[in-house]
Amino acid sequence: MAAANKKIVLRNYVTGFPKESDMELVATGTAPSRVPEGTDGAVLVKNLYLSCDPYMRPRMSKNDGSSYVDGFVIGEPITGYGVGKVVDSSHPGFKAGDYVWGMTGWEEYSLIKNPSKALFTIRHPELPLSYYTGLLGMAGFTAYIGFHEICAPKEGERVFVSAASGAVGQLVGQFAKLMGCYVVGSAGSDEKVRLLREKFGFDEAFNYKKEKDLSLALKRRFPEGIDVYFENVGGAMLDAVLLNMRVRGRIAACGMISQYNLERPDPVHNLTAVVTKRLRIEGFLVSDHYGKYREYEEKAARYVEEGKIAYVEDVAEGLENAPAALIGLFSGRNVGKQVVVIAR
């Protein structure tokens, strides 16, 4: 028996800014109703929620070896983080009925042959399952590792977060506030700035699109300089931050979304500050730290249950709307974590 299985596939490799037409919905596919006989150590998953993430943009281009992750395959389903329910399993670590999150396909059903490397079972299904695309999943864990381990913050320090209303940034700012830090965020609209101040509890926030001089904008909000910068955008913002860092400041380089669609990346002009201010800049991949995920899952679940963390999702309904949701990330259209609902 086979089930209908709609999927989103990549039509062509992308240069410059991606378009919805670079992807297409294929409605004629099928999926098995069980793990095929003789396929050991696999699971069949019904996908419920898909995560749209900035790291997916480089995967839409032909991989020249410079990316840390494999590119998408033309004509094959796009893959990314998602939440699903196990329909059938031939793997001893998973059973039918388990809720899971991890790497899956942009399709209604996915047959995953290495689930112990690709998936985590969900230990708190009583919480909103969509949160495992963000707060309780990769994005939340990214914020936690990047801030607490890479930045090594101290109580009372001055923290700046770029792209602060996104899936990662909104959580970094709140983790910093829980530590007793002074926190400022930047975002690309007045609506997002209000969200940072009123919903997420940032001390200050600004719309970078309205600032003629980013360095002066930071100077006004950090007259004594920045101790910790959580880097999500790169480009001109990074240049401005370097001029405003305090001596021995730390920068966690999580992402650089302003650069992903450029054929020629923006140069960084103020790197001398790294030397004169004795700065530490460290990039990181959250996948290197998954051994600590279960500890984070329990802590984040408590934060949610106790009301210590506010969380905002931007929800697109239906697999057919996934391409538009992903493209919207790169123009800042989303407000909060971008999620696509396939089934509830």
Side-chain angles (χ1 to χ4, degrees):
M1 296 286 292
N5 190 30
K6 292 187 293 185
K7 58 188 71 178
I8 301 294
V9 305
L10 185 70
R11 293 185 63 193
N12 49 260
Y13 289 123
V14 176
T15 57
F17 203 96
K19 309 178 295 297
E20 290 180 47
S21 59
D22 293 319
M23 297 165 275
E24 67 176 337
L25 176 69
V26 176
T28 56
T30 60
S33 58
R34 297 180 63 89
V35 173
E37 189 173 345
T39 305
D40 295 329
V43 294
L44 179 66
V45 173
K46 177 179 175 61
N47 293 311
L48 304 175
Y49 300 94
L50 300 178
S51 174
C52 295
D53 297 297
Y55 86 92
M56 298 174 75
R57 169 58 189 88
R59 301 188 69 190
M60 300 177 76
S61 298
K62 197 164 187 177
N63 193 340
D64 60 3
S66 61
S67 177
Y68 67 92
V69 65
D70 292 337
F72 299 134
V73 178
I74 291 176
E76 294 293 323
I78 285 174
T79 57
Y81 287 96
V83 173
K85 186 175 184 178
V86 175
V87 175
D88 190 35
S89 173
S90 63
H91 189 289
F94 300 86
K95 65 182 185 299
D98 283 346
Y99 289 104
V100 294
W101 77 270
M103 293 300 295
T104 190
W106 277 31
E107 54 191 346
E108 293 176 292
Y109 295 89
S110 293
L111 180 65
I112 299 173
K113 296 183 178 180
N114 59 343
S116 60
K117 294 183 179 180
L119 301 175
F120 292 94
T121 53
I122 288 175
R123 292 186 176 175
H124 289 278
E126 73 280 5
L127 298 177
L129 289 174
S130 63
Y131 281 19
Y132 278 89
T133 67
L135 168 57
L136 295 171
M138 184 273 287
F141 191 48
T142 297
Y144 183 81
I145 289 293
F147 181 65
H148 285 289
E149 301 220 353
I150 307 300
C151 294
K154 303 177 184 67
E155 182 180 354
E157 287 194 313
R158 304 159 183 83
V159 177
F160 177 53
V161 186
S162 57
S165 67
V168 174
Q170 61 174 283
L171 298 173
V172 172
Q174 293 180 82
F175 292 156
K177 288 302 299 177
L178 287 170
M179 274 204 67
C181 296
Y182 169 76
V183 185
V184 176
S186 65
S189 73
D190 292 342
E191 176 190 7
K192 293 178 180 180
V193 167
R194 284 193 297 273
L195 194 67
L196 294 177
R197 290 172 174 158
E198 298 171 10
K199 180 80 171 179
F200 301 138
F202 282 57
D203 294 289
E204 185 58 88
F206 64 94
N207 182 346
Y208 71 89
K209 293 180 181 178
K210 289 187 171 182
E211 298 289 348
K212 294 182 179 180
D213 187 319
L214 291 174
S215 182
L216 288 178
L218 291 170
K219 184 69 174 177
R220 288 197 301 273
R221 293 162 177 90
F222 294 99
E224 297 180 21
I226 301 166
D227 294 296
V228 169
Y229 173 44
F230 199 97
E231 165 67 301
N232 286 312
V233 300
M237 186 65 80
L238 175 58
D239 246 347
V241 167
L242 289 171
L243 294 177
N244 285 275
M245 292 295 292
R246 289 166 59 87
V247 171
R248 303 197 185 284
R250 288 90 66 207
I251 298 174
C254 175
M256 298 193 178
I257 195 171
S258 73
Q259 306 300 297
Y260 295 158
N261 297 313
L262 303 180
E263 294 184 47
R264 186 185 295 269
D266 293 328
V268 179
H269 301 282
N270 297 321
L271 286 173
T272 303
V274 177
V275 179
T276 59
K277 298 184 178 186
R278 285 84 86 196
L279 304 179
R280 178 167 61 81
I281 304 177
E282 184 175 348
F284 70 101
L285 300 179
V286 70
S287 55
D288 292 339
H289 302 269
Y290 276 146
K292 299 179 180 179
Y293 168 70
R294 291 302 185 187
E295 173 188 335
Y296 169 74
E297 182 184 22
E298 294 306 313
K299 182 174 288 189
R302 287 198 303 274
Y303 285 158
V304 174
E305 291 165 349
E306 295 170 2
K308 291 183 176 180
I309 290 286
Y311 185 59
V312 172
E313 296 177 313
D314 193 323
V315 179
E317 295 281 350
L319 182 62
E320 66 277 7
N321 291 312
L326 178 59
I327 298 306
L329 289 180
F330 305 107
S331 60
R333 194 166 62 211
N334 62 300
V335 178
K337 170 63 190 171
Q338 184 67 66
V339 181
V340 177
V341 180
I342 300 180
R344 295 184 184 276

